[in-house]
């Protein structure tokens, strides 16, 4: 079973700062099958990044993804007030078919 | 625009059954794999099941295999999740979501329906 571990659990930053979120897999993940989602309270998740580094439709370019193998990163270059949320990484194709990380909460400092 | 609207959630006793529905619109439903994902209160996301575009393939998480069954009706643009032998740990918001077939990312989610399992 592929386990995704996200760090840190909570990240406290101020608007305008840079955020770096990590997702580490217990086994190698095909980059094509690594995605990132944003979830705000009371809302469904929203797809941000797929294929490890491709932005989904309508996602601002301050969001970027990188990484390969077992280490992946979501970077938000300059935080906007609406970016404070919980972020999940997700892999597809391993066992089980889908796994999600436990999430990183990005909170306002 | 793409819309996914779940229904059928509610309060059920342990051991009971519930059938969730998801009405899809704004895209060619029969072209896409669909999936169910749940989120227990205050917890993270857990994939439950997916079904292929023609219903030929289904897959389930170990936690629900043998108890839950996914199906779809392409003529009605609808996705279903039959949940039997419900347990307290099945209580969650259940999301219907569209899956990109080749690479598996989930590009559209419904708003979710809440399932509560309690006596």
């Amino acid at each position: 079973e592929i386990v995704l571990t996200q760090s840190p659990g909570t990240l406290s930053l101020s608007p305008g700062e840079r955020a770096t979120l990590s997702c580490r897999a217990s086994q190698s993940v095909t980059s094509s099958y690594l995605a990132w989602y944003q979830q705000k309270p009371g809302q469904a998740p929203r797809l941000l990044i797929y294929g490890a580094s491709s932005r989904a439709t309508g996602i601002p370019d301050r969001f970027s993804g990188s990484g390969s193998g077992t280490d992946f990163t979501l970077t938000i270059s300059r935080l906007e007030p609406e970016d404070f949320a919980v972020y999940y990484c997700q892999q597809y194709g391993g066992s089980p078919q889908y796994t999600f990380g436990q999430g990183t909460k990005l909170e306002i400092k | 625009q793409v819309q996914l609207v779940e229904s059928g959630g509610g309060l059920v006793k342990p051991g009971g059954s519930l059938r969730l529905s998801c009405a899809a619109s704004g895209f060619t439903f029969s072209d896409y794999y669909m999936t169910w994902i749940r989120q227990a209160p205050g917890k993270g996301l857990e994939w439950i099941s997916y079904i292929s575009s023609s219903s030929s393939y289904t897959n389930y998480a170990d936690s629900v295999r043998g108890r839950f069954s996914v199906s779809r009706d392409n003529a009605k643009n609808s996705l279903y999740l039959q949940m039997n032998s419900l347990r307290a740990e099945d209580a969650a918001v259940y999301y219907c979501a569209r899956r990109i077939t080749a690479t598996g990312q989930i590009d559209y989610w419904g708003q979710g329906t809440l399932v509560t399992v309690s006596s």
Side-chain angles (χ1 to χ4, degrees):
Chain A
E1 175 180 342
I2 295 180
V3 176
L4 300 179
T5 301
Q6 293 185 240
S7 61
T10 302
L11 184 57
S12 299
L13 294 170
S14 300
E17 291 192 292
R18 180 185 186 91
T20 302
L21 286 66
S22 174
C23 176
R24 178 161 291 177
S26 59
Q27 304 171 39
S28 185
V29 172
T30 303
S31 295
S32 300
Y33 301 153
L34 193 288
W36 289 91
Y37 301 86
Q38 176 194 67
Q39 188 178 33
K40 296 180 180 179
Q43 296 184 17
R46 176 174 71 145
L47 177 66
L48 296 176
I49 300 288
Y50 65 94
S53 60
S54 298
R55 274 187 301 276
T57 303
I59 302 303
D61 61 6
R62 64 179 180 274
F63 290 90
S64 63
S66 63
S68 63
T70 59
D71 288 294
F72 297 88
T73 300
L74 174 70
T75 301
I76 311 171
S77 59
R78 293 173 309 280
L79 286 166
E80 298 287 343
E82 63 266 27
D83 298 337
F84 292 91
V86 179
Y87 292 84
Y88 294 95
C89 58
Q90 169 248 313
Q91 70 81 29
Y92 159 70
S95 176
Q97 279 281 306
Y98 284 89
T99 50
F100 290 89
Q102 83 280 16
T104 289
K105 181 179 182 181
L106 179 56
E107 64 177 23
I108 299 177
K109 187 174 181 179
Chain B
Q1 72 281 20
V2 173
Q3 281 200 315
L4 299 168
V5 180
E6 302 93 337
S7 60
L11 174 63
V12 61
K13 291 181 168 56
S17 298
L18 211 55
R19 189 194 196 205
L20 305 184
S21 299
C22 172
S25 61
F27 65 103
T28 304
F29 182 70
S30 58
D31 284 349
Y32 288 86
Y33 280 44
M34 297 295 293
T35 187
W36 287 98
I37 291 162
R38 70 184 180 186
Q39 186 171 35
K43 302 297 184 182
L45 301 166
E46 179 188 15
W47 168 76
I48 294 302
S49 178
Y50 79 74
I51 184 168
S52 64
S53 53
S54 62
S55 302
S56 299
Y57 303 106
T58 60
N59 201 353
Y60 299 92
D62 288 345
S63 58
V64 305
R65 185 173 288 116
R67 300 187 298 123
F68 289 13
S69 177
V70 61
S71 62
R72 64 192 294 162
D73 185 337
N74 287 343
K76 295 182 177 180
N77 291 338
S78 293
L79 176 71
Y80 306 101
L81 185 69
Q82 178 66 43
M83 304 186 296
N84 298 329
S85 303
L86 282 161
R87 306 166 180 167
E89 56 264 34
D90 295 319
V93 173
Y94 284 73
Y95 294 103
C96 157
R98 189 179 85 168
R99 191 195 112 165
I100 298 300
T101 302
T103 50
Q105 72 267 21
I106 298 158
D107 62 346
Y108 285 97
W109 302 64
Q111 85 288 350
T113 188
L114 178 64
V115 172
T116 303
V117 183
S118 175
S119 54

